[in-house]
Amino acid sequence: MDYTAIFILACIFIPLERLLPLHPEQRTLRRDWLNDVVYVLVNGIVVRAGFTVVAGALMLGVVQLVGPNPIQWTGAMPLWAQVLMAIVVADIGYYAAHRICHSVPALWKFHAVHHSIEEMDWLATHRVHPVDQIFSSTLSLLPVWCMGFTLEALVIHQAIYQAHALLLHSNVRIKFGPLKWLVASPEYHHWHHANERDAYDRNFAAQLSIIDVIARTMFMPVRRAPKSYGVNEDIPRSYPMQLIHPFRSLVSSWALTAPPTRLETPMPTAAKTRTTEDKLGKLAMLIIFGYFGYKQITALISLVANRDLIPLWGLAFFSVIAGATFLGLILYYTITRLPPRDSTAGIMPRVVAVVGTFIMSLLIVFPPKCVSFRRL
């Protein structure tokens, strides 16, 4: 741990929070500040160790699949372009990871530790459970590392990300003006932490608020600030207990899941059969589209790495992206939004899914000659 860096950050953000406070009544040594200092001193070691193992294993798998440095053209771009592209790619990954953490109950139990912050300031940035941090960092940074950016670009990206994260959590009244719709601001992220019904599950991006604008998850009311922060559940206030709490909560929730009692109306045999068929069908869709998704990703990587060898490279690239998007939409609506099969509304999506799957299967197994190539 670089204690000099911590001292420098304190010298920057403590005066800034006194000069431009969003909540003037909040003290510098607010409640739980000592617990967050423990996060600063200890948590980074745990996160780096776990992230090294997870990311290292995944990187090894990527190397085995596509070889080292599958994408080389990114490293030839100007440094500023590499940094901008790294910010965009990383934040799309972070948005996805963050939204998953809010949607999956098991992951929310770990993410809730970060949302237990009741008084926002720069120090509270570090209150993140290691499991939550490792999961989000993996989905955010692994794609960036696989894209072949130079070391200088990666270092600058991380420096910008860390400074931005500290600013977003700070108790400061700083407005970004029209840029708030493009770049995440303290106002934007404070609303993400707000303990208000309208603000739940909003503002997921880490640096680019425009991702939330596009995804329609942006929430930033005019002329008012959040009244309170935190979560409506009991979370311990010490670092060791906050590490243990999500695991204990998971065990408790699983233990409380009881089988149906005799007083409940038994499900008819036909309904049981239909439910089983639906589950097996969804599992089959996941396996099939998972394989197709893998083929699309490897095709995309090969296209980018060998673009000089492929006629009509732009058209081939667009077709692969369109195919991957089609697969993702079909899978999403099949798994989550498909109407009942015995309803009129459920017929057409299933026809589209079957026909589309058949066509995409043919394109993957027998690719057109204009997008095929051989390595030299």
Side-chain angles (χ1 to χ4, degrees):
M1 174 59 63
D2 189 348
Y3 297 101
T4 303
I6 297 173
F7 178 75
I8 294 174
L9 291 174
C11 290
I12 294 174
F13 282 97
I14 291 177
L16 185 63
E17 292 181 340
R18 292 297 92 196
L19 290 172
L20 300 169
L22 178 64
H23 301 287
E25 73 282 358
Q26 182 173 308
R27 298 175 299 170
T28 300
L29 301 181
R30 42 83 179 166
R31 187 181 185 186
D32 295 333
W33 72 272
L34 193 57
N35 182 53
D36 291 333
V37 169
V38 176
Y39 271 93
V40 174
L41 300 177
V42 178
N43 205 53
I45 302 173
V46 180
V47 170
R48 280 192 293 272
F51 180 68
T52 300
V53 174
V54 175
L58 292 175
M59 287 291 290
L60 183 61
V62 171
V63 170
Q64 293 295 323
L65 287 174
V66 298
N69 301 322
I71 304 177
Q72 299 180 1
W73 59 270
T74 52
M77 296 192 308
L79 182 60
W80 63 268
Q82 292 187 56
V83 173
L84 288 179
M85 183 178 288
I87 290 174
V88 173
V89 173
D91 214 32
I92 292 175
Y94 182 86
Y95 178 94
H98 198 175
R99 192 161 182 176
I100 291 172
C101 287
H102 278 253
S103 304
V104 179
L107 291 175
W108 166 253
K109 294 182 185 300
F110 296 96
H111 189 61
V113 172
H114 183 62
H115 276 270
S116 67
I117 301 167
E118 296 178 350
E119 293 178 283
M120 296 281 285
D121 65 3
W122 70 279
L123 196 59
T125 309
H126 303 87
R127 190 191 301 180
V128 185
H129 195 282
V131 173
D132 179 24
Q133 185 73 67
I134 293 169
F135 175 76
S136 299
S137 297
T138 300
L139 266 65
S140 175
L141 296 180
L142 190 63
V144 174
W145 290 357
C146 292
M147 290 190 67
F149 296 115
T150 62
L151 179 61
E152 293 83 355
L154 296 176
V155 170
I156 294 174
H157 163 255
Q158 273 302 290
I160 294 174
Y161 172 81
Q162 296 297 336
H164 198 180
L166 291 169
L167 178 64
L168 293 182
H169 291 83
S170 298
N171 178 32
V172 293
R173 190 183 67 257
I174 296 178
K175 304 289 186 179
F176 280 19
L179 286 177
K180 68 181 181 181
W181 305 107
L182 175 64
V183 181
S185 64
E187 176 189 15
Y188 158 93
H189 196 67
H190 277 234
W191 276 112
H192 176 73
H193 281 267
N195 192 8
E196 300 183 23
R197 174 67 60 181
D198 293 338
Y200 291 168
D201 301 330
R202 300 297 184 97
N203 302 359
F204 292 109
Q207 294 185 272
L208 301 175
S209 55
I210 191 173
I211 299 177
D212 282 282
V213 175
I214 295 173
R216 297 184 179 181
T217 52
M218 184 83 157
F219 182 78
M220 200 150 24
V222 181
R223 297 193 183 95
R224 73 184 182 97
K227 297 179 181 179
S228 62
Y229 306 100
V231 292
N232 296 323
E233 55 184 284
D234 295 329
I235 293 182
R237 311 196 79 92
S238 66
Y239 176 73
M241 296 307 298
Q242 286 178 351
L243 291 185
I244 299 172
H245 174 73
F247 297 103
R248 296 178 62 181
S249 181
L250 281 173
V251 172
S252 299
S253 62
W254 291 335
L256 292 175
T257 304
T261 62
R262 294 182 180 180
L263 297 178
E264 295 180 352
T265 303
M267 183 181 295
T269 304
K272 288 183 179 180
T273 303
R274 179 172 299 179
T275 301
T276 303
E277 291 176 357
D278 287 343
K279 290 181 178 179
L280 291 175
K282 290 180 178 180
L283 177 61
M285 293 290 287
L286 282 172
I287 295 173
I288 294 170
F289 280 102
Y291 172 75
F292 287 164
Y294 160 74
K295 298 290 289 185
Q296 292 292 91
I297 292 173
T298 54
L300 181 61
I301 293 174
S302 297
L303 277 172
V304 174
N306 299 271
R307 66 189 186 282
D308 295 333
L309 308 176
I310 306 172
L312 302 176
W313 179 84
L315 179 61
F317 181 82
F318 175 77
S319 67
V320 173
I321 294 295
T325 304
F326 181 84
L327 286 173
L329 290 174
I330 291 295
L331 178 62
Y332 173 75
Y333 282 103
T334 301
I335 298 299
T336 63
R337 300 293 180 87
L338 203 59
R341 61 182 178 182
D342 54 354
S343 66
T344 304
I347 297 175
M348 184 55 64
R350 284 175 168 78
V351 172
V352 173
V354 172
V355 175
T357 302
F358 177 72
I359 295 173
M360 291 305 301
S361 301
L362 291 179
L363 290 176
I364 292 172
V365 178
F366 306 105
K369 292 183 179 180
C370 64
V371 301
S372 63
F373 61 93
R374 59 185 180 85
R375 294 180 181 272
L376 297 180

